[in-house]
mmCIF file of all heavy atoms in Angstrom:
data_model
loop_
_atom_site.group_PDB
_atom_site.id
_atom_site.type_symbol
_atom_site.label_atom_id
_atom_site.label_comp_id
_atom_site.label_asym_id
_atom_site.label_seq_id
_atom_site.Cartn_x
_atom_site.Cartn_y
_atom_site.Cartn_z
ATOM 1 N N LYS A 179 149.780 151.416 126.529
ATOM 2 C CA LYS A 179 149.690 152.117 125.249
ATOM 3 C C LYS A 179 150.590 151.428 124.240
ATOM 4 O O LYS A 179 151.489 150.653 124.605
ATOM 5 C CB LYS A 179 150.117 153.586 125.413
ATOM 6 C CG LYS A 179 149.335 154.376 126.454
ATOM 7 C CD LYS A 179 149.795 155.823 126.520
ATOM 8 C CE LYS A 179 151.264 155.943 126.929
ATOM 9 N NZ LYS A 179 151.524 155.409 128.284
ATOM 10 N N VAL A 180 150.359 151.701 122.976
ATOM 11 C CA VAL A 180 151.205 151.149 121.923
ATOM 12 C C VAL A 180 152.641 151.613 122.160
ATOM 13 O O VAL A 180 152.909 152.798 122.376
ATOM 14 C CB VAL A 180 150.713 151.603 120.537
ATOM 15 C CG1 VAL A 180 151.697 151.163 119.453
ATOM 16 C CG2 VAL A 180 149.322 151.043 120.258
ATOM 17 N N GLY A 181 153.569 150.660 122.133
ATOM 18 C CA GLY A 181 154.974 150.958 122.375
ATOM 19 C C GLY A 181 155.433 150.649 123.783
ATOM 20 O O GLY A 181 156.648 150.596 124.038
ATOM 21 N N ASP A 182 154.504 150.424 124.710
ATOM 22 C CA ASP A 182 154.891 150.117 126.092
ATOM 23 C C ASP A 182 155.522 148.729 126.177
ATOM 24 O O ASP A 182 155.181 147.813 125.417
ATOM 25 C CB ASP A 182 153.667 150.163 127.008
ATOM 26 C CG ASP A 182 153.224 151.582 127.313
ATOM 27 O OD1 ASP A 182 153.920 152.515 126.875
ATOM 28 O OD2 ASP A 182 152.180 151.749 127.978
ATOM 29 N N ARG A 183 156.439 148.575 127.131
ATOM 30 C CA ARG A 183 157.053 147.280 127.420
ATOM 31 C C ARG A 183 156.312 146.665 128.614
ATOM 32 O O ARG A 183 156.190 147.271 129.668
ATOM 33 C CB ARG A 183 158.529 147.455 127.755
ATOM 34 C CG ARG A 183 159.353 148.070 126.633
ATOM 35 C CD ARG A 183 159.672 147.060 125.543
ATOM 36 N NE ARG A 183 160.666 146.098 125.989
ATOM 37 C CZ ARG A 183 161.081 145.057 125.258
ATOM 38 N NH1 ARG A 183 160.534 144.830 124.066
ATOM 39 N NH2 ARG A 183 161.999 144.244 125.720
ATOM 40 N N ILE A 184 155.840 145.440 128.423
ATOM 41 C CA ILE A 184 155.021 144.772 129.425
ATOM 42 C C ILE A 184 155.715 143.506 129.909
ATOM 43 O O ILE A 184 156.179 142.692 129.096
ATOM 44 C CB ILE A 184 153.633 144.409 128.853
ATOM 45 C CG1 ILE A 184 152.971 145.639 128.219
ATOM 46 C CG2 ILE A 184 152.763 143.811 129.936
ATOM 47 C CD1 ILE A 184 152.746 146.773 129.164
ATOM 48 N N ASN A 185 155.784 143.333 131.223
ATOM 49 C CA ASN A 185 156.337 142.119 131.814
ATOM 50 C C ASN A 185 155.194 141.241 132.329
ATOM 51 O O ASN A 185 154.320 141.720 133.046
ATOM 52 C CB ASN A 185 157.271 142.454 132.982
ATOM 53 C CG ASN A 185 158.500 143.217 132.526
ATOM 54 O OD1 ASN A 185 159.125 142.856 131.543
ATOM 55 N ND2 ASN A 185 158.838 144.284 133.234
ATOM 56 N N LEU A 186 155.226 139.974 131.962
ATOM 57 C CA LEU A 186 154.226 139.024 132.423
ATOM 58 C C LEU A 186 154.891 137.830 133.092
ATOM 59 O O LEU A 186 156.035 137.485 132.771
ATOM 60 C CB LEU A 186 153.358 138.526 131.261
ATOM 61 C CG LEU A 186 152.465 139.533 130.540
ATOM 62 C CD1 LEU A 186 151.623 138.814 129.494
ATOM 63 C CD2 LEU A 186 151.588 140.304 131.505
ATOM 64 N N GLU A 187 154.161 137.202 134.000
ATOM 65 C CA GLU A 187 154.579 135.959 134.626
ATOM 66 C C GLU A 187 153.579 134.870 134.266
ATOM 67 O O GLU A 187 152.382 135.148 134.125
ATOM 68 C CB GLU A 187 154.654 136.110 136.148
ATOM 69 C CG GLU A 187 155.686 137.112 136.620
ATOM 70 C CD GLU A 187 155.658 137.277 138.130
ATOM 71 O OE1 GLU A 187 154.686 136.787 138.753
ATOM 72 O OE2 GLU A 187 156.584 137.898 138.674
ATOM 73 N N SER A 188 154.065 133.633 134.126
ATOM 74 C CA SER A 188 153.174 132.524 133.804
ATOM 75 C C SER A 188 153.496 131.321 134.675
ATOM 76 O O SER A 188 154.653 130.877 134.709
ATOM 77 C CB SER A 188 153.304 132.126 132.330
ATOM 78 O OG SER A 188 152.577 130.935 132.070
ATOM 79 N N PRO A 189 152.491 130.781 135.381
ATOM 80 C CA PRO A 189 152.745 129.562 136.169
ATOM 81 C C PRO A 189 152.912 128.333 135.287
ATOM 82 O O PRO A 189 153.439 127.318 135.739
ATOM 83 C CB PRO A 189 151.485 129.459 137.040
ATOM 84 C CG PRO A 189 150.423 130.165 136.248
ATOM 85 C CD PRO A 189 151.120 131.273 135.524
ATOM 86 N N LEU A 190 152.485 128.420 134.046
ATOM 87 C CA LEU A 190 152.602 127.281 133.130
ATOM 88 C C LEU A 190 153.937 127.258 132.407
ATOM 89 O O LEU A 190 154.494 126.182 132.148
ATOM 90 C CB LEU A 190 151.461 127.333 132.102
ATOM 91 C CG LEU A 190 150.036 127.351 132.655
ATOM 92 C CD1 LEU A 190 149.039 127.472 131.511
ATOM 93 C CD2 LEU A 190 149.770 126.098 133.464
ATOM 94 N N TYR A 191 154.444 128.432 132.087
ATOM 95 C CA TYR A 191 155.691 128.548 131.335
ATOM 96 C C TYR A 191 156.616 129.532 132.047
ATOM 97 O O TYR A 191 156.568 130.731 131.781
ATOM 98 C CB TYR A 191 155.423 129.026 129.910
ATOM 99 C CG TYR A 191 154.511 128.100 129.120
ATOM 100 C CD1 TYR A 191 153.147 128.369 129.001
ATOM 101 C CD2 TYR A 191 155.012 126.962 128.506
ATOM 102 C CE1 TYR A 191 152.315 127.514 128.291
ATOM 103 C CE2 TYR A 191 154.188 126.106 127.796
ATOM 104 C CZ TYR A 191 152.835 126.393 127.686
ATOM 105 O OH TYR A 191 152.019 125.560 126.985
ATOM 106 N N PRO A 192 157.440 129.040 132.975
ATOM 107 C CA PRO A 192 158.383 129.933 133.659
ATOM 108 C C PRO A 192 159.284 130.631 132.652
ATOM 109 O O PRO A 192 159.637 130.072 131.600
ATOM 110 C CB PRO A 192 159.181 128.979 134.561
ATOM 111 C CG PRO A 192 158.280 127.785 134.735
ATOM 112 C CD PRO A 192 157.529 127.655 133.443
ATOM 113 N N ALA A 193 159.659 131.856 132.960
ATOM 114 C CA ALA A 193 160.498 132.646 132.053
ATOM 115 C C ALA A 193 161.844 131.976 131.863
ATOM 116 O O ALA A 193 162.393 131.373 132.792
ATOM 117 C CB ALA A 193 160.687 134.054 132.614
ATOM 118 N N PRO A 194 162.404 132.028 130.651
ATOM 119 C CA PRO A 194 163.723 131.442 130.397
ATOM 120 C C PRO A 194 164.767 132.041 131.329
ATOM 121 O O PRO A 194 164.689 133.207 131.701
ATOM 122 C CB PRO A 194 163.995 131.815 128.935
ATOM 123 C CG PRO A 194 162.655 132.110 128.359
ATOM 124 C CD PRO A 194 161.840 132.670 129.476
ATOM 125 N N GLU A 195 165.740 131.212 131.713
ATOM 126 C CA GLU A 195 166.783 131.666 132.622
ATOM 127 C C GLU A 195 167.541 132.842 132.018
ATOM 128 O O GLU A 195 167.959 132.816 130.858
ATOM 129 C CB GLU A 195 167.747 130.524 132.926
ATOM 130 C CG GLU A 195 168.791 130.865 133.979
ATOM 131 C CD GLU A 195 169.667 129.678 134.305
ATOM 132 O OE1 GLU A 195 169.384 128.565 133.800
ATOM 133 O OE2 GLU A 195 170.630 129.856 135.061
ATOM 134 N N GLY A 196 167.707 133.892 132.818
ATOM 135 C CA GLY A 196 168.432 135.069 132.361
ATOM 136 C C GLY A 196 167.589 136.005 131.526
ATOM 137 O O GLY A 196 168.068 137.026 131.052
ATOM 138 N N ALA A 197 166.337 135.660 131.326
ATOM 139 C CA ALA A 197 165.450 136.525 130.537
ATOM 140 C C ALA A 197 164.096 136.572 131.235
ATOM 141 O O ALA A 197 163.904 136.005 132.303
ATOM 142 C CB ALA A 197 165.323 136.000 129.105
ATOM 143 N N GLY A 198 163.171 137.239 130.643
ATOM 144 C CA GLY A 198 161.837 137.329 131.206
ATOM 145 C C GLY A 198 160.816 137.408 130.097
ATOM 146 O O GLY A 198 161.159 137.561 128.923
ATOM 147 N N TRP A 199 159.565 137.267 130.480
ATOM 148 C CA TRP A 199 158.503 137.394 129.495
ATOM 149 C C TRP A 199 158.157 138.871 129.339
ATOM 150 O O TRP A 199 157.243 139.374 129.969
ATOM 151 C CB TRP A 199 157.278 136.600 129.919
ATOM 152 C CG TRP A 199 157.482 135.110 129.889
ATOM 153 C CD1 TRP A 199 157.511 134.258 130.936
ATOM 154 C CD2 TRP A 199 157.675 134.301 128.724
ATOM 155 N NE1 TRP A 199 157.714 132.968 130.520
ATOM 156 C CE2 TRP A 199 157.813 132.960 129.158
ATOM 157 C CE3 TRP A 199 157.765 134.576 127.359
ATOM 158 C CZ2 TRP A 199 158.027 131.904 128.286
ATOM 159 C CZ3 TRP A 199 157.977 133.509 126.487
ATOM 160 C CH2 TRP A 199 158.103 132.204 126.946
ATOM 161 N N THR A 200 158.948 139.530 128.520
ATOM 162 C CA THR A 200 158.753 140.954 128.269
ATOM 163 C C THR A 200 158.246 141.135 126.843
ATOM 164 O O THR A 200 158.820 140.596 125.889
ATOM 165 C CB THR A 200 160.060 141.742 128.457
ATOM 166 O OG1 THR A 200 160.532 141.532 129.794
ATOM 167 C CG2 THR A 200 159.821 143.233 128.244
ATOM 168 N N PHE A 201 157.161 141.879 126.701
ATOM 169 C CA PHE A 201 156.540 142.083 125.403
ATOM 170 C C PHE A 201 156.424 143.574 125.113
ATOM 171 O O PHE A 201 156.366 144.407 126.017
ATOM 172 C CB PHE A 201 155.141 141.461 125.358
ATOM 173 C CG PHE A 201 155.113 140.002 125.688
ATOM 174 C CD1 PHE A 201 154.910 139.573 127.005
ATOM 175 C CD2 PHE A 201 155.287 139.048 124.708
ATOM 176 C CE1 PHE A 201 154.877 138.228 127.326
ATOM 177 C CE2 PHE A 201 155.251 137.693 125.006
ATOM 178 C CZ PHE A 201 155.052 137.278 126.328
ATOM 179 N N THR A 202 156.377 143.887 123.836
ATOM 180 C CA THR A 202 156.127 145.254 123.387
ATOM 181 C C THR A 202 154.726 145.321 122.804
ATOM 182 O O THR A 202 154.371 144.507 121.947
ATOM 183 C CB THR A 202 157.137 145.683 122.310
ATOM 184 O OG1 THR A 202 158.464 145.583 122.842
ATOM 185 C CG2 THR A 202 156.884 147.116 121.873
ATOM 186 N N VAL A 203 153.929 146.250 123.272
ATOM 187 C CA VAL A 203 152.572 146.401 122.751
ATOM 188 C C VAL A 203 152.658 146.982 121.335
ATOM 189 O O VAL A 203 152.913 148.166 121.147
ATOM 190 C CB VAL A 203 151.724 147.313 123.652
ATOM 191 C CG1 VAL A 203 150.320 147.467 123.070
ATOM 192 C CG2 VAL A 203 151.640 146.741 125.058
ATOM 193 N N SER A 204 152.461 146.115 120.353
ATOM 194 C CA SER A 204 152.526 146.549 118.954
ATOM 195 C C SER A 204 151.235 147.195 118.487
ATOM 196 O O SER A 204 151.236 148.039 117.600
ATOM 197 C CB SER A 204 152.860 145.367 118.044
ATOM 198 O OG SER A 204 154.098 144.777 118.398
ATOM 199 N N GLY A 205 150.118 146.766 119.074
ATOM 200 C CA GLY A 205 148.832 147.305 118.641
ATOM 201 C C GLY A 205 147.720 146.943 119.596
ATOM 202 O O GLY A 205 147.867 146.081 120.468
ATOM 203 N N LEU A 206 146.597 147.612 119.418
ATOM 204 C CA LEU A 206 145.405 147.378 120.224
ATOM 205 C C LEU A 206 144.279 146.919 119.304
ATOM 206 O O LEU A 206 144.058 147.516 118.246
ATOM 207 C CB LEU A 206 144.987 148.647 120.959
ATOM 208 C CG LEU A 206 146.045 149.327 121.835
ATOM 209 C CD1 LEU A 206 145.463 150.586 122.465
ATOM 210 C CD2 LEU A 206 146.554 148.387 122.914
ATOM 211 N N TYR A 207 143.595 145.876 119.687
ATOM 212 C CA TYR A 207 142.490 145.406 118.864
ATOM 213 C C TYR A 207 141.158 145.823 119.476
ATOM 214 O O TYR A 207 141.038 146.048 120.678
ATOM 215 C CB TYR A 207 142.540 143.890 118.676
ATOM 216 C CG TYR A 207 142.057 143.066 119.843
ATOM 217 C CD1 TYR A 207 140.692 142.886 120.102
ATOM 218 C CD2 TYR A 207 142.956 142.419 120.689
ATOM 219 C CE1 TYR A 207 140.244 142.120 121.154
ATOM 220 C CE2 TYR A 207 142.516 141.648 121.755
ATOM 221 C CZ TYR A 207 141.158 141.502 121.981
ATOM 222 O OH TYR A 207 140.712 140.752 123.037
ATOM 223 N N THR A 208 140.168 145.942 118.625
ATOM 224 C CA THR A 208 138.795 146.197 119.050
ATOM 225 C C THR A 208 137.932 145.050 118.543
ATOM 226 O O THR A 208 138.256 144.398 117.544
ATOM 227 C CB THR A 208 138.266 147.526 118.502
ATOM 228 O OG1 THR A 208 138.373 147.527 117.064
ATOM 229 C CG2 THR A 208 139.063 148.698 119.059
#
Side-chain angles (χ1 to χ4, degrees):
K179 303 182 298 298
V180 173
D182 284 356
R183 299 282 288 176
I184 308 300
N185 295 314
L186 295 184
E187 297 177 348
S188 172
L190 303 177
Y191 300 98
E195 186 177 354
W199 292 113
T200 302
F201 304 92
T202 301
V203 179
S204 301
L206 305 179
Y207 78 78
T208 56

